[in-house]
Amino acid sequence: MEHKKTMLDYIADCPEFIRNNVADSAALTKPLVDEYVSGGYKNIWIVACGSSSNGSLCARQFIRRHLKCEVKIVTPFHFVSSENDFSETDMVVVVSQSGYSLNALDAIKVIEAKGRRCIGLTGDVNSDLGKVCDVVANYGVGRETVAYVTRGVTTLALFFMLFAVEAAVRLGIKTAAEGEAVKQQLLKAADINAAVQAQTPSFIKEHYRQLSGMTNAYVCGVGANLGTASEGALKFGETVSIPTAVYEVEEYIHGPNIQMTPPLQRISD
């Protein structure tokens, strides 16, 4: 009988996908790199929600640093309803892992109505999103058949980082040697990912009582790890149904930390 994959299987696959996607960097990112370079774009808008937004947030600082451009992340509904004043030098990329998200397709309609090229990023180029875009790229996530996507965040963050490196080399911002050196650094993420996975069971066992007894949780981060924290908060809510909020570290210190104190129990005589 064929093994039915679980979330843990997709998590376990991440190191292999990282290695393969770094090795295939030029071909994987080519559709977006070609568009960015030939289109004369400067800044980048990423229209994404949920895990796709979190993965984009993980990569945002990297793109800004290596491609020397500004990166804006906006959710599809917010993009459609109120914030779509992008300029001709802004490349707008709509992300949907499945390629069938209705809010992503609505965002494409707004871009199309402005007479701009529609650019999509997905795990399935034959999806509805792929069919309505002028440019579509597969970001190397493969196919996940469980409800809570897990590999999508890692592969999307990596794709945007590889895109930034390849585009920077094409534009002369980096030399080919510098670009290769950065990709070798990214390749180390596979070993780190595998090491974290190996350490997780013992951590859970050691802290099982605290983890299983939580009634709420806060996840804090800053910089690229604000995206990691955001995905952590999302996964807590999705999988164990614990109300979870994400905060930038300094914001957390100035705000809700008192709420972490367990409620006082009334002692009866």
Side-chain angles (χ1 to χ4, degrees), residues 150-170:
T150 54
R151 202 165 55 207
V153 175
T154 304
T155 52
L156 180 62
L158 178 63
F159 177 92
F160 275 128
M161 293 176 184
L162 293 172
F163 157 77
V165 173
E166 298 291 351
V169 171
R170 287 272 296 274

Side-chain angles (χ1 to χ4, degrees), residues 11-61:
I11 292 171
D13 287 344
C14 280
E16 179 185 1
F17 272 74
I18 292 170
R19 295 185 184 99
N20 290 342
N21 289 357
V22 172
D24 199 32
S25 174
L28 188 68
T29 63
K30 189 177 186 302
L32 239 63
V33 173
D34 285 350
E35 176 67 19
Y36 185 78
V37 173
S38 65
Y41 300 108
K42 175 57 180 173
N43 298 318
I44 300 170
W45 285 43
I46 302 174
V47 181
C49 63
S51 291
S52 294
S53 176
N54 297 336
S56 302
L57 187 56
C58 288
R60 179 174 179 263
Q61 299 296 338

Side-chain angles (χ1 to χ4, degrees), residues 51-92:
S51 291
S52 294
S53 176
N54 297 336
S56 302
L57 187 56
C58 288
R60 179 174 179 263
Q61 299 296 338
F62 185 99
I63 302 170
R64 294 177 72 240
R65 182 167 70 254
H66 290 280
L67 196 50
K68 309 299 182 185
C69 70
E70 191 50 79
V71 180
K72 181 174 185 175
I73 302 170
V74 57
T75 59
F77 183 74
H78 191 63
F79 177 81
V80 170
S81 64
S82 62
E83 195 163 347
N84 50 54
D85 55 339
F86 51 90
S87 72
E88 291 185 357
T89 58
D90 294 326
M91 184 173 81
V92 184

